[in-house]
Amino acid sequence: MAEDSVKLRLRPLTAADYPDLAALMDIVYADIGGAWSMDTVKELIELFPDGQLGIVDNDELVAAALTIKVKYDRFSNPHRYEDLITDSQVHSHDDDGDALYGLDVFVHPEFRGYRLGRRLYEARKELCREENLRAILAGGRLPGYGRHADQMSALEYIEQVQRQKIYDPILSFQLANDFDVKRLLKRYLPEDEDSRGYATLLEWDNILYMPEPDDDEGYVSKTLVRLGVVQRRMRTVHSVEDLLSQVEFFVDAMAEYRADFALLPEFFSAPLMGLDRDLPSIEAIRFLAGFTDQIRDALSDMAVSYNINIIAGSMPLIEEGNVYNIAYLCRRDGTVEEQRKIHITPGERRDWGIEGGDELQVFETDAGRVGILICYDVEFPELGRILAEQDMEILFVPFWTDTKNGYLRVRHCAQARAIENECYVAISGSCGVLPGVDNVDIQYAQSAVFSPSDFYFPHDAIISEAVANTEMLVFADVDLETLKLLNKEGSVTNLRDRRHDVYRLKWRHKHNET
């Protein structure tokens, strides 16, 4: 075969291909019975034509993949090959199935240097995505096991192949194509002496799979989400209504641009402390807390009327005599939830007597699963990782910093959280000066939206950012499906590569929602 004469083409198989297909199967599977019957192959093509693929070289069939649709719940559990297909009949194809089952992939020995198996596997994956199926299942023979059966069990053999200590022509190939071993199948193909009748049940998960909802309960999330971030200049206000009017201006503008979220800065209500400038700091924060319920309710009404989810920065709240720094999630369906700041800075504790919260959770919304870490909390990587373990997709960080070095702590830690937790991170802060209000008289901010760092995202992992210390809005469109691709197929896969056999992170507070 002259290499310069090779002309490869992928196409669906037809019944007319049977003679070439049978000849190819006789070559590849001489040790386990050779070709399937003509009736079986024709039945496969009639039942599921899109699943039967061949690669031809100058019209000569040199590789093929045979596939059916099955119910995942049935065939992700123990079964035998004869449950799927026999010489006379295809038993388990289901037009309403939610998974593909790879019956076979085989390549002519003379063409095994052209990566045709990988090309067929990629075509299967694309079919799985196009049909919105949850996974590809396959029973993989272990043809190399027979040479090691006297020295180790089948499970030990699989482990050695996974560690690349042993090469198995089938399992090593499947692992290289992103399939995971789910279980060991006994007597899968009893006549397969090289495998001693064993096989692996392998699975490739379609990370783009979107199940059909069974009912109207819960949230059906969007995949392309627009974030709106407020970088607000602190200014004197004359009443709570004055403050709310200023905030509503920003909410209205973000809604006009069809943002799904509006993120406000930490302590955005602080100008209200200027209504009584004679109060010492410890009393001023409690005075400010007196407006929190009213502001929260007003923001919840705005979320509904402007059809936008609002992350209400943070405000002080008094509960059982203690002061907490609390962020509210005001959903556009009218529901409200809260996230308290867990780590309190020395200044907050000394000047305002603020206490730390002890609960952390991911919130379901109609535009993704979100977490909230208020300012200092983002500097503790454990919190971001706990949220990531609850499948957080977007992390919101309202912050207040008075100097550039303080701001950079928040910024750099937020970028780290995006990378290590494979999520988007939005940060929102205030700028300007607020004379006469202790502890929030000066501010420094450059609000931004960060992404993980890989080929799917901007080269500097910054989707959008504000001009430093300038009042403005920042918008960013983020694709939640891209996070799934990163998690499964990224250059590095931080979440998948964690060593749970060596270390583990545990939230100790009993009331944490997971």
Side-chain angles (χ1 to χ4, degrees):
M1 178 183 63
E3 191 164 315
D4 59 2
S5 68
V6 172
K7 295 181 180 178
L8 300 170
R9 182 165 59 94
L10 176 71
R11 64 167 175 80
L13 292 172
T14 68
D17 289 312
Y18 178 75
D20 291 340
L21 184 73
L24 181 56
M25 294 184 83
D26 282 337
I27 293 171
V28 175
Y29 296 129
D31 57 334
I32 54 171
W36 296 353
S37 70
M38 180 184 296
D39 289 341
T40 299
V41 172
K42 286 184 175 180
E43 186 181 5
L44 271 177
I45 293 171
E46 290 171 2
L47 288 172
F48 190 31
D50 290 343
Q52 320 317 318
L53 301 171
I55 295 177
V56 295
D57 170 41
N58 294 296
D59 296 325
E60 176 190 356
L61 186 68
V62 296
L66 307 175
T67 311
I68 59 176
K69 286 171 70 173
V70 298
K71 293 292 189 184
Y72 177 87
D73 289 343
R74 166 65 182 91
F75 285 96
S76 60
N77 287 299
H79 59 276
R80 296 183 181 183
Y81 196 68
E82 64 185 19
D83 298 326
L84 298 154
I85 192 168
T86 60
D87 288 340
S88 60
Q89 188 177 0
V90 178
H91 295 287
S92 297
H93 175 76
D94 188 336
D95 284 331
D96 296 323
D98 58 353
L100 294 180
Y101 196 105
L103 295 174
D104 231 325
V105 169
F106 44 93
V107 179
H108 193 290
E110 294 183 6
F111 285 78
R112 287 180 180 164
Y114 290 92
R115 299 180 180 270
L116 303 189
R118 181 178 293 274
R119 193 177 302 191
L120 289 167
Y121 268 55
E122 290 303 317
R124 258 192 197 152
K125 292 175 184 177
E126 187 58 33
L127 177 62
C128 187
R129 296 186 186 107
E130 289 176 355
E131 300 236 348
N132 190 36
L133 303 176
R134 66 185 292 178
I136 301 173
L137 300 171
R141 298 170 56 222
L142 299 170
Y145 176 56
R147 297 192 300 273
H148 301 271
D150 293 338
Q151 293 84 40
M152 63 184 70
S153 68
L155 285 174
E156 290 170 332
Y157 176 78
I158 292 169
E159 183 178 340
Q160 292 296 305
V161 175
Q162 289 174 319
R163 293 183 176 182
Q164 300 185 34
K165 300 292 182 65
I166 296 176
Y167 174 80
D168 184 275
I170 292 180
L171 180 56
S172 296
F173 171 76
Q174 290 162 325
L175 294 174
N177 279 277
D178 302 320
F179 278 72
D180 295 319
V181 177
K182 292 299 181 183
R183 63 174 69 242
L184 179 66
L185 300 173
K186 298 179 180 180
R187 298 187 59 78
Y188 180 73
L189 202 61
E191 63 269 29
D192 180 10
E193 295 183 3
D194 288 343
S195 304
R196 297 297 193 267
Y198 287 109
T200 54
L201 177 62
L202 296 126
E203 181 173 335
W204 176 83
D205 293 319
N206 177 13
I207 58 177
L208 303 181
Y209 171 62
M210 293 291 290
E212 296 293 332
D214 293 329
D215 49 47
D216 295 329
E217 296 181 1
Y219 292 98
V220 179
S221 292
K222 303 174 62 174
T223 58
L224 189 62
V225 177
R226 178 162 294 175
L227 308 182
V229 178
V230 178
Q231 182 161 288
R232 179 173 175 270
R233 182 174 66 84
M234 287 288 200
R235 53 173 62 80
T236 300
V237 298
H238 304 291
S239 65
V240 67
E241 290 77 17
D242 188 13
L243 175 81
L244 288 171
S245 176
Q246 295 175 21
V247 171
E248 186 170 10
F249 167 80
F250 292 112
V251 172
D252 184 13
M254 287 183 282
E256 184 70 21
Y257 283 93
R258 298 185 178 276
D260 295 292
F261 290 98
L263 174 61
L264 300 175
E266 182 183 22
F267 285 128
F268 70 95
S269 62
L272 290 171
M273 286 191 285
L275 297 179
D276 192 340
R277 299 190 178 191
D278 294 330
L279 293 175
S281 297
I282 197 73
E283 294 182 22
I285 197 69
R286 290 176 175 267
F287 172 76
L288 180 61
F291 299 104
T292 293
D293 287 350
Q294 181 182 353
I295 297 172
R296 178 201 60 212
D297 293 345
L299 288 174
S300 180
D301 290 342
M302 289 183 206
V304 175
S305 61
Y306 286 100
N307 190 32
I308 189 169
N309 300 299
I310 299 175
I311 311 296
S314 81
M315 297 179 281
L317 176 75
I318 298 176
E319 184 178 272
E320 297 181 353
N322 295 321
V323 182
Y324 296 95
N325 187 352
I326 185 167
Y328 290 104
L329 165 61
C330 301
R331 296 191 186 92
R332 52 186 160 194
D333 66 2
T335 58
V336 177
E337 297 202 59
E338 66 177 49
Q339 176 61 63
R340 301 186 181 195
K341 190 171 185 177
I342 293 171
H343 298 92
I344 306 304
T345 66
E348 286 176 299
R349 189 178 298 110
R350 179 187 63 246
D351 297 331
W352 289 334
I354 293 178
E355 301 286 340
D358 57 10
E359 295 188 7
L360 183 68
Q361 70 178 100
V362 168
F363 302 100
E364 289 279 2
T365 75
D366 60 2
R369 293 174 59 81
V370 308
I372 304 170
L373 295 178
I374 302 172
C375 197
Y376 194 34
D377 278 342
V378 81
E379 299 179 31
F380 295 83
E382 299 90 343
L383 299 187
R385 181 48 52 85
I386 289 170
L387 293 172
E389 290 178 343
Q390 299 177 43
D391 300 322
M392 172 186 63
E393 295 166 308
I394 305 169
L395 175 61
F396 292 102
V397 182
F399 71 92
W400 174 83
T401 51
D402 56 350
T403 62
K404 186 173 183 178
N405 59 346
Y407 161 73
L408 288 175
R409 286 196 300 270
V410 172
R411 179 189 179 98
H412 293 326
C413 290
Q415 289 184 283
R417 301 299 84 81
I419 292 170
E420 67 200 14
N421 296 308
E422 299 174 359
C423 66
Y424 300 106
V425 180
I427 65 173
S428 169
S430 300
C431 58
V433 296
L434 198 59
V437 180
D438 286 345
N439 305 312
V440 287
D441 47 352
I442 60 173
Q443 12 273 320
Y444 185 101
Q446 186 176 17
S447 304
V449 178
F450 305 122
S451 72
S453 184
D454 210 321
F455 294 114
Y456 311 102
F457 307 102
H459 70 93
D460 55 2
I462 302 170
I463 300 175
S464 185
E465 65 181 334
V467 177
N469 293 325
T470 301
E471 184 172 68
M472 62 185 299
L473 297 179
V474 175
F475 292 96
D477 289 340
V478 299
D479 190 343
L480 305 185
E481 294 296 337
T482 306
L483 297 179
K484 297 178 181 179
L485 288 171
L486 173 69
N487 177 263
K488 187 74 173 181
E489 302 173 6
S491 301
V492 293
T493 49
N494 298 73
L495 291 178
R496 290 167 61 87
D497 291 338
R498 288 171 292 169
R499 290 287 305 277
H500 288 314
D501 59 321
V502 176
Y503 59 83
R504 188 172 293 275
L505 186 61
K506 180 180 180 181
W507 182 267
R508 297 182 63 183
H509 191 261
K510 65 180 180 180
H511 296 303
N512 182 55
E513 295 185 22
T514 58

